[in-house]
Amino acid sequence: MEYKDLQVFLSLCSLLHLGKASQQLHMSASTLSRRLARMEEAVGAQLFVRDTSPMQLTAAGEQFRLHAEQTLLDWQQLRSAVGTDISDLAGSLTLYCSVTASYSFLADLLSRFREKYPNVDLRIHTGDAAESIPRVESGEADVVIAARPDQLPAELTFKSMASSPLLFIAPRSVSSVMPMNPADTDWSQVPMVLSESGLARTRVNRWFESAGIEPHIYAQVSGNEAIVSMVALGVGVGVVPELVLKNSPMSGRVRVLNVQPELEPFSIGLCARTQSLHEPLLQALWQTAVV
């Protein structure tokens, strides 16, 4: 088995989706599926449960993940020891992102960046997604993983890495909070759990305004992850990016509503100050990110 196979496997572990992983790795989904099948044949066990969304690691897959991470780490250390084509870039970068972004994008990006630039210290800070753009504008972060705002400030540059639909979610059980059919709903009476600020709040406000509805806001919270938890508890209906829902341990306790018109999806990627992109460390991270 080649080191590239291990890198491919870890990308799958990060994304848990053949289609998204194939786009990130620049190979067809069928090619990626065959490559995974060959790895499973070599290991002698099934590594993923494929008939779920997202896919799930099996017990053997979890053991193989640890093996892949350790093997690639050992390989990197060996290359460093013998001086084989390792970049001499050194220094530090500060990156800010939400917890969900760290699950969905950071693991793979960090793995590839550290392999290429082991002497660069990438300092990670996590928090509310709504704080991402203000952080990079103020200089508190060199780069952020964020959703592209409707109006990108002129001094910033954005590099898209993925798209995520923006979803209405309700408690899984039918209750007074939300009937099964959204078309029969008086939205002015639905208790809403929304983010305090940020792009999701802007877009759901616009949705209500275009429908001429005054929303009944039950709670305003900081961070999309908290919205999923509150909806799962049955207190109201929320709006979150699909990536947040997929990574939430409470996803099985909510349902996605078929609401029309749909909200505009998020474009998620790296964002940095344009004047800083010529700096070698930031340029190296920018080029490492896969579109």
Side-chain angles (χ1 to χ4, degrees), residues 142-158:
D142 298 307
V143 61
V144 298
I145 299 176
R148 190 186 195 283
D150 292 331
Q151 296 296 325
L152 185 69
E155 68 272 17
L156 301 182
T157 296
F158 185 88

Side-chain angles (χ1 to χ4, degrees), residues 135-253:
R135 290 265 184 148
V136 75
E137 281 187 291
S138 67
E140 291 180 73
D142 298 307
V143 61
V144 298
I145 299 176
R148 190 186 195 283
D150 292 331
Q151 296 296 325
L152 185 69
E155 68 272 17
L156 301 182
T157 296
F158 185 88
K159 180 177 184 178
S160 180
M161 295 191 294
S163 178
S164 178
L166 194 56
L167 307 173
F168 282 83
I169 59 172
R172 179 164 291 280
S173 59
V174 178
S175 66
S176 59
V177 168
M178 187 72 201
M180 187 59 72
N181 187 0
D184 300 332
T185 301
D186 180 358
W187 280 95
S188 66
Q189 300 302 310
V190 175
M192 299 296 301
V193 182
L194 302 176
S195 52
E196 291 177 327
S197 59
L199 186 58
R201 180 60 184 269
T202 299
R203 290 186 177 172
V204 74
N205 283 349
R206 189 184 303 153
W207 188 89
F208 278 114
E209 288 170 6
S210 65
I213 298 169
E214 182 69 29
H216 168 39
I217 300 175
Y218 176 84
Q220 301 180 80
V221 300
S222 176
N224 289 308
E225 294 82 3
I227 295 177
V228 182
S229 297
M230 292 189 70
V231 171
L233 291 172
V235 301
V237 169
V239 175
V240 295
E242 184 181 56
L243 280 172
V244 172
L245 182 60
K246 285 186 174 181
N247 284 286
S248 172
M250 308 295 284
S251 60
R253 297 178 60 179

Side-chain angles (χ1 to χ4, degrees), residues 75-117:
W75 171 236
Q76 178 180 310
Q77 291 174 342
L78 175 63
R79 291 176 66 195
S80 298
V82 300
T84 306
D85 192 28
I86 291 291
S87 169
D88 58 0
L89 274 181
S92 65
L93 280 174
T94 300
L95 184 148
Y96 179 89
C97 64
S98 68
V99 174
T100 296
S102 70
Y103 295 153
S104 304
F105 301 101
L106 189 57
D108 182 66
L109 176 61
L110 195 58
S111 175
R112 287 183 283 110
F113 186 75
R114 282 180 170 166
E115 181 182 3
K116 291 182 179 180
Y117 309 103

